[in-house]
């Protein structure tokens, strides 16, 4: 890893992080790794408790402790990816606080992000709960 990449600064704070939400692209740039499992392993090795690696149209990986689950993406018609990451992160946290299950919260977040990319803008594209539940039931 490139010491000038910001990794040294970031790695000092990783043991304090309960949930880390890197995108595949950001993690590749930061770590210089291209394998999703290796990326998760690197963050976990540095003390992150749970990694939620978003893989775009391939879904996401939730990893932590002895858990590593790849959640497939929901089918979506891409219009604008502007709010996909923020929608994923917020949806995960909201659902995790509701249910306490990281796998279920990741599925919920993938459904929410799939809806967000079907609309334009950063705010108007954030889906309502009923839309997320409908997408998950389909």
């Amino acid at each position: 890893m490139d010491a000038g990449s910001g990794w040294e600064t970031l790695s000092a704070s990783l043991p304090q992080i309960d949930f880390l939400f890197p995108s595949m692209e950001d993690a590749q740039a930061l770590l210089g790794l291209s394998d999703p499992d290796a990326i998760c392993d690197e963050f976990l090795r540095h003390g992150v408790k749970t990694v939620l690696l978003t893989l775009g149209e391939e879904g996401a990986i939730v990893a932590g402790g002895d858990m590593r689950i790849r959640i497939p993406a929901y089918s979506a018609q891409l219009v604008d990816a502007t709010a996909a990451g923020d929608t994923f992160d917020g949806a995960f946290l909201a659902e995790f606080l509701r249910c306490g299950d990281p796998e279920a919260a990741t599925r919920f977040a993938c459904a929410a992000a799939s809806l967000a990319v079907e609309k334009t803008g950063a705010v108007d594209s954030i889906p309502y709960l009923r839309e997320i539940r409908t997408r998950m039931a389909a």
Side-chain angles (χ1 to χ4, degrees), residues 25-92:
E25 296 81 15
D26 290 343
Q28 285 175 317
L30 181 64
L31 301 175
L33 300 171
S34 60
D35 177 62
D37 286 315
I39 290 168
C40 291
D41 290 342
E42 188 68 14
F43 285 124
L44 293 169
R45 189 171 67 78
H46 280 85
V48 172
K49 289 157 192 72
T50 304
V51 178
L52 295 121
L53 181 63
T54 56
L55 306 170
E57 63 188 27
E58 294 180 28
I61 295 173
V62 56
D66 61 354
M67 168 193 61
R68 181 162 311 200
I69 303 165
R70 187 178 284 252
I71 307 294
Y74 287 81
S75 180
Q77 298 298 316
L78 177 63
V79 173
D80 180 7
T82 299
D86 291 338
T87 297
F88 179 94
D89 299 353
F92 173 87

Side-chain angles (χ1 to χ4, degrees), residues 1 39 53-54 59-60 71 74 81 83 104 122-123 126 129-131 136:
M1 281 170 264
I39 290 168
L53 181 63
T54 56
I71 307 294
Y74 287 81
V123 176
I126 299 171
L129 177 59
R130 70 184 175 325
E131 295 174 298
M136 293 179 75

